[in-house]
Amino acid sequence: MPSRARDDALSEVVGFVLILALIVAALSLYQLYGVPAAGREKEIAHMNAVKDRFVDYKIALDSLWVNNMDYNRSGVLLSTAFDLGTDSAATGGRAFSLPILTPAGSGGTVSVKSGGANLTIAPAGKEPVTIPLGSLTYRSSNNYWVDQTWTYQGGAVFLSQEGGTTVRVGPSIAVAKTRDGNITLTIAPISLEGSAEIAGSGPVRVETRMRWSDSSSLDGDYDQVNLTIEADNEMAAGAWERAFGEVRQRAKDENVTSLPTPELFDGNKSVRLTIQPGTDKKVLLTVHPANYTVTIHNAASLVE
């Protein structure tokens, strides 16, 4: 074979190898930087969607008890659906179990449980009433973004991540001053009952039914009212401490300046907020109990 022909063939092979190396390098860079960036963007968008769903859920449950408090209609249904994970494919083109061109889909777990935290309303001179709050929780299983836990409890929405918890929506507790100097305290202790959990990445449906709630026996005028949350862990109690702090701050906007700072006790697993008026003044307490039963179902994403 002539030397020139061998050189031409060798040049073609070298050129092909260089092009292949360039393609592999480009795919490696995309896998290293592009795939995580795309996955992180999708998971952030999904976490924002979960946040909106929990805020909508809080508003919807508040609307149910407000609109039905004069009729107490048992069985009124609220149905809420959302995706547990991102819309990325959980399976697909992979090499050595690592994504190549598309980010791996995330997942999550939604659960409802009774109890978990109790609200005790203790007016001065009257037998206190303890109400189990229950909770609806979503825990993410993200691959590219920080994991988050969203919790609806007692009319409040909490966000937990990396060992910290913050209040995203405050509880249904209102404190204000009347023209004659008394303090009005309005509470809607929302109680969830249920025991279910679903994990995965597909859509789920959360069904919430309103149950019969007897009128509260606590309504009246008192010298002082204590609100106490008994949580099952320090993080939950700390979240309620911040929630009570927001109630106290909103009370200042209503010219109520006599509320002390919420205090943690019982090994930082319980927190108390004291509502006390000035001398010769009263706390006008109104309680609107609302009970709900929550069930969770898989929601079909494809009908054949």
Side-chain angles (χ1 to χ4, degrees), residues 121-304:
I121 306 174
K126 193 162 188 175
E127 189 72 21
V129 172
T130 299
I131 302 169
L133 297 180
S135 62
L136 176 69
T137 302
Y138 170 83
R139 298 185 301 274
S140 69
S141 297
N142 291 330
N143 298 305
Y144 309 98
W145 184 243
V146 61
D147 277 321
Q148 297 183 339
T149 299
W150 289 88
T151 303
Y152 173 90
Q153 186 176 71
V157 177
F158 303 105
L159 167 62
S160 303
Q161 63 182 45
E162 294 182 341
T165 303
T166 185
V167 183
R168 296 310 301 261
V169 183
S172 302
I173 301 174
V175 181
K177 180 173 285 189
T178 64
R179 291 183 178 180
D180 54 7
N182 293 319
I183 293 178
T184 61
L185 172 60
T186 305
I187 309 171
I190 296 176
S191 178
L192 301 184
E193 294 183 359
S195 179
E197 179 176 287
I198 292 180
S201 59
V204 295
R205 189 175 73 254
V206 179
E207 290 192 348
T208 307
R209 292 184 181 274
M210 192 173 192
R211 295 307 183 192
W212 181 268
S213 300
D214 294 326
S215 300
S216 174
S217 61
L218 296 177
D219 293 2
D221 305 343
Y222 304 97
D223 294 329
Q224 178 179 302
V225 177
N226 289 330
L227 303 180
T228 303
I229 292 288
E230 299 169 317
D232 53 2
N233 58 72
E234 294 182 16
M235 185 176 292
W240 274 101
E241 180 190 21
R242 285 182 279 276
F244 280 167
E246 290 191 4
V247 172
R248 180 172 178 265
Q249 185 59 46
R250 290 196 300 269
K252 289 183 179 180
D253 297 336
E254 298 294 334
N255 299 318
V256 179
T257 58
S258 59
L259 271 60
T261 303
E263 72 171 308
L264 286 165
F265 64 99
D266 190 23
N268 292 334
K269 289 185 178 180
S270 298
V271 58
R272 178 184 297 116
L273 175 66
T274 299
I275 294 86
Q276 55 187 23
T279 306
D280 298 328
K281 300 300 179 182
K282 295 290 185 179
V283 179
L284 313 182
L285 175 62
T286 304
V287 181
H288 300 290
N291 300 322
Y292 298 95
T293 299
V294 182
T295 56
I296 305 174
H297 309 273
N298 283 310
S301 59
L302 178 63
V303 178
E304 296 181 351

Side-chain angles (χ1 to χ4, degrees), residues 85-97:
T86 61
D87 59 356
S88 302
T91 60
R94 293 172 180 263
F96 307 110
S97 300

